Every structure is written in C-alpha cells, then in structure tokens.
Amino acid sequence: MRTITSAFPWNQVKWRSKEEQRIQTLDLALKILVPLLLSACLVIALKVGSFDGFLHLLSRQSLGSPLMALGAGFTLAYLAFQLVRTVLWWRYKSFPLPPGPLPRVTVIIPAYNEGAMVEKSIYAAVASDYPADRLEIICIDDGSKDDTWAYIDRARRRYPKLIKAIRFAKNRGKKEGLYAGFTRGKGEYFVTIDSDSVITPDTVKQVIAPMLNDPQIGAVAGNVKVYNRSRSVMARMLAVRFVLAFDFLRASQSMYGCVTCTPGALSAYRATALKPILKQWRTQTFMGLPANIGEDRALTNFVLRRGYFTSYQRSAIVHTMVPESYKGLCRMYLRWDRSNFRENWVQLKFILSKYRTKHRLLPIIDFFMTQIEFPLTYLFLGMLLISFWLYPIVVVKFLAGLGVFTLVWMYYYIHQERDMDFIYGIIYSYFAFFALHWVQPYAFITVRNDRWLTR
C-alpha cells in the first residue's frame, strides 16, 4: 500500500464547525423525539383504523370496482415480490477474492470543477492495497474552470509512475472523460470512481472479485455510502436512503445477475465486455438528441444486452458527496429519473428477448413491477389527496400509518448498519411524500432535457 500523508486521508473528514455542533445537538433530539412520536403514531393508527384499508385488500369487497381491483392486485403483487427480494437479499453474500495473481486494473476518475475534493479521490485510489505494478490511475480534467487541474497535476507529479492525467481544453461531458480513460487504459479490468468520492484501501480488490470468480459477470456495482453525512440532516437522510435504495435492491438483483445500474460513484467492468460497445455507448441518442446524462445506467444496459451478468459487491465501499440542500437534491433526482426513463425504454427492447441463456424471469418481473409502480403511484396519490380534502380524518390515518409502515421498512437498514440513524429514514419518508413527489412526473415530462444540473 502506498503511504499517504495525513493531509490527504482517504477517510471521511470530520468538520468541527458550529453548524456541525448544532446538527449533533439536533441529531440527539431527533433520536429521542422520533421514537416517541412513532409510539404515538402506533396508538393513533390503531385507534383510527389506519390499517383497515390494508386488511380490506384481502377481502372480496376490494374487487368490487375495476380501479379498486387494480390497486389491490398490484399491492398484493408488490408485497409478494418484496418478499422474494427480501429472501434474495438475506441470502446474498459478497464474492470472496480468489487466490492467485491479481490482474492489471485501470482506475478512471473524471472530474469537472471539483476543486480539492478530486485530490482526496485520487489519493484514496493511490492508497489502495493493490500491487503498484498492476495498477494505473487515469484522471481526466473535463475542462474545469476552477483549480481542479492544479490538484490533479500535483498528484500526477507526486506519483508519476502510477497516475496519468488528461486535460480537456473545454468541457465535453462526463461520458467523454470516461471514454478517454477506457480507450487509453491498459487494464484487464476498469474501475470508475467519481471525483467527489473516496474508496477504502481494499475496494479495488473487492470490486473486481465477482468478475474474477465468474467469467459471465461483465460489470460490478460498488457499495455507495455518504461521505458528508455529518454535515446536514439532508445528508443523514440520504445515508439511510442509499442503504435502502441501493444496498437492498442491488443485493437482491445480484442474486439473479441483473443489477440495473452500476453507479458512477464506484463500478468495475471487464475490458472484454466493455471494449466492443464503447462506440455505441459514446454515440447513443434518445429522441434525436445525444444521451449525455445517466452514462452509468446506459453502460450497464449495454453490458447486460451482450449477455453478461451484472453484480453487486457489498464489501467494495466508496463514500460519496451528496447534496445538502433541497435544490441540490431535486436536481440530482431529476437527472437520475430522466436517465432512468430513457434507459427503461432501452431495457424494454431486450428484456423479453433471449439476450442471455439463464436467469431471465426475475429480471422481467422486476422490470415490469417497477414500470407499473410509477403510473399507479400517481393515480392513487391523486385519489388520496382528494380524500384528504373530502375527509380530513384520512390525513391522520395516513400519517400514522406511514410512520408505522416506514418503521417496518427500516428493518433492512437496522439489520445492515446497526445504528440509530434509521430515525432519518422515518423523517425521509414524510419529507419525500410532501416535498419530492413532483420530481418523477416532471422528469418524465422533461425527459429530453439532458442538462447535467448538478454541475
């Protein structure tokens, strides 16, 4: 392992500002108050019959109208598939690193206006316990207008045999930065890391382990955690959300070899799976326009379509920066949702075909459950809001039921992380209901908008 001075540690920085001290005090208060409020929610839910509607799904009366039958049928199907996912998640285990010599690996870090954070990302890769003679790091400055290049160049000069630096004269987009790294890298495997993310010392080994174990695996998603979780309540909520949305989902999908997105924060690719599709990926269009955002989801689709499996490696950990403001969060979700709508359409074109020899059924069920969920959610959300207006008591029932059922959902986080931050998952459920439900339909309406937004 290369030795890095304490000025550039790979691990999370601890901010010691007054703002952080205030957040720590708020954290303690929330961890006391939220359980008390949840207890009150449970009592209220039982008193006002918040769960009667769910029990009604099992009765014949729920089939009395086509709309109710649709809602009841989808809810029961969703719960059944959630049970399947839970079993798969429970059975999931990270791939062990097989014995023998390690292959040559190229780490690619594209950066744009990242400032000092890119240096932390680079030095985290340098500090990997991977043999130096089998590792190369390529960092691309995508036409930054700040001092990003100064940090990249300083790292290159410090480790000239390990780091290669590329500088674009003007901004070309993240996809072009990755393409430059993919085409110039000499590795048998490629590892991509976002420039606002830092990996642990054994991550490079861990993230390629699934591909070393199984030649059918063409791409691997890493375990994404929040780097700046101590900075704000928003970041703490997202830290819980990432475990639920990413670890749970990707671990279950990994059991049938169809992780639908290998994330930009940390992913690995087999060179032989990647090289043949690079030009198609680079020139991909959607509705007549270049597909510039969601390059990670797009690349995953290309790998899947060639018949490879995609996997998740929980032991390959990366810590990434997340938005700390509502505006930043909405921008991030808009970018994700727009690329997901586009790539869902792409996936539909091959998911029903014989694109691979086995494990095709569960990806099909997963795909259609996800697609049906979007329109039905907003159909019944509209009906719920109307009922709020006509029968105000429904508001009390719903809020109480939401708190209790979210606590059940938090089981996955508590089992995995073993800490009290699940409280922020409860808070996030209310926050998302009242403040984020507009994002997905707006992303659908504006799906042709390919602005990066977070840059």
Side-chain angles (χ1 to χ4, degrees), residues 79-342:
L79 291 174
F81 191 59
Q82 191 70 4
L83 179 60
V84 172
R85 282 174 169 166
T86 301
V87 172
L88 294 172
W89 166 77
W90 187 266
R91 293 180 57 198
Y92 166 84
K93 292 182 180 179
S94 295
F95 284 85
L97 186 68
L102 292 169
R104 187 166 181 82
V105 170
T106 298
V107 174
I108 302 172
I109 306 174
Y112 176 70
N113 288 352
E114 201 61 68
M117 190 66 198
V118 69
E119 194 168 36
K120 299 180 188 298
S121 182
I122 295 171
Y123 284 139
V126 169
S128 297
D129 59 357
Y130 206 85
D133 62 336
R134 310 298 292 165
L135 180 69
E136 68 172 344
I137 300 169
I138 301 178
C139 192
I140 303 95
D141 178 11
D142 186 18
S144 297
K145 298 178 181 179
D146 63 358
D147 56 354
T148 295
W149 174 251
Y151 289 106
I152 294 174
D153 190 52
R154 182 165 69 177
R156 178 192 60 81
R157 285 187 280 107
R158 186 176 182 184
Y159 295 98
K161 295 182 179 180
L162 197 59
I163 300 172
K164 297 179 182 178
I166 300 171
R167 188 181 192 184
F168 293 165
K170 61 179 181 179
N171 181 241
R172 302 183 191 177
K174 185 179 178 182
K175 181 182 285 190
E176 286 296 314
L178 288 171
Y179 182 80
F182 288 144
T183 52
R184 301 186 193 191
K186 300 176 181 178
E188 300 168 67
Y189 297 88
F190 290 94
V191 175
T192 62
I193 304 171
D194 277 347
S195 56
D196 62 352
S197 306
V198 292
I199 59 174
T200 57
D202 66 339
T203 288
V204 174
K205 283 182 179 179
Q206 291 296 325
V207 79
I208 65 169
M211 293 182 287
L212 298 181
N213 278 275
D214 187 348
Q216 286 187 293
I217 297 176
V220 180
N223 185 358
V224 183
K225 296 183 178 295
V226 174
Y227 182 85
N228 54 325
R229 67 184 296 167
S230 65
R231 292 284 302 270
S232 68
V233 171
M234 182 77 74
R236 288 175 187 247
M237 288 194 295
L238 288 175
V240 179
R241 176 65 177 166
F242 275 26
V243 172
L244 298 176
F246 298 152
D247 181 88
F248 172 76
L249 181 62
R250 287 172 180 157
S252 60
Q253 290 177 336
S254 187
M255 294 298 291
Y256 48 87
C258 192
V259 175
T260 54
C261 182
T262 48
L266 174 65
S267 293
Y269 302 92
R270 187 184 300 274
T272 52
L274 195 67
K275 296 287 188 178
I277 51 90
L278 281 179
K279 289 185 178 180
Q280 292 174 278
W281 170 71
R282 185 190 189 191
T283 58
Q284 181 187 7
T285 60
F286 179 70
M287 299 178 70
L289 297 174
N292 292 326
I293 60 174
E295 72 294 324
D296 48 2
R297 175 79 196 277
L299 196 56
T300 309
N301 262 344
F302 274 108
V303 172
L304 283 170
R305 189 161 48 185
R306 294 197 69 231
Y308 285 97
F309 293 165
T310 52
S311 184
Y312 169 64
Q313 184 74 338
R314 181 178 287 157
S315 56
I317 297 173
V318 62
H319 293 82
T320 191
M321 296 287 287
V322 298
E324 297 179 28
S325 67
Y326 175 68
K327 183 178 180 180
L329 179 65
C330 291
R331 287 181 169 184
M332 182 181 77
Y333 280 162
L334 275 173
R335 178 166 54 87
W336 287 2
D337 284 337
R338 284 169 180 159
S339 62
N340 279 333
F341 281 125
R342 182 193 74 219

Side-chain angles (χ1 to χ4, degrees), residues 405-418:
F405 277 98
T406 302
L407 181 60
V408 175
W409 178 242
M410 287 303 112
Y411 163 76
Y412 300 106
Y413 177 86
I414 296 170
H415 179 275
Q416 198 59 40
E417 300 297 316
R418 313 281 183 176

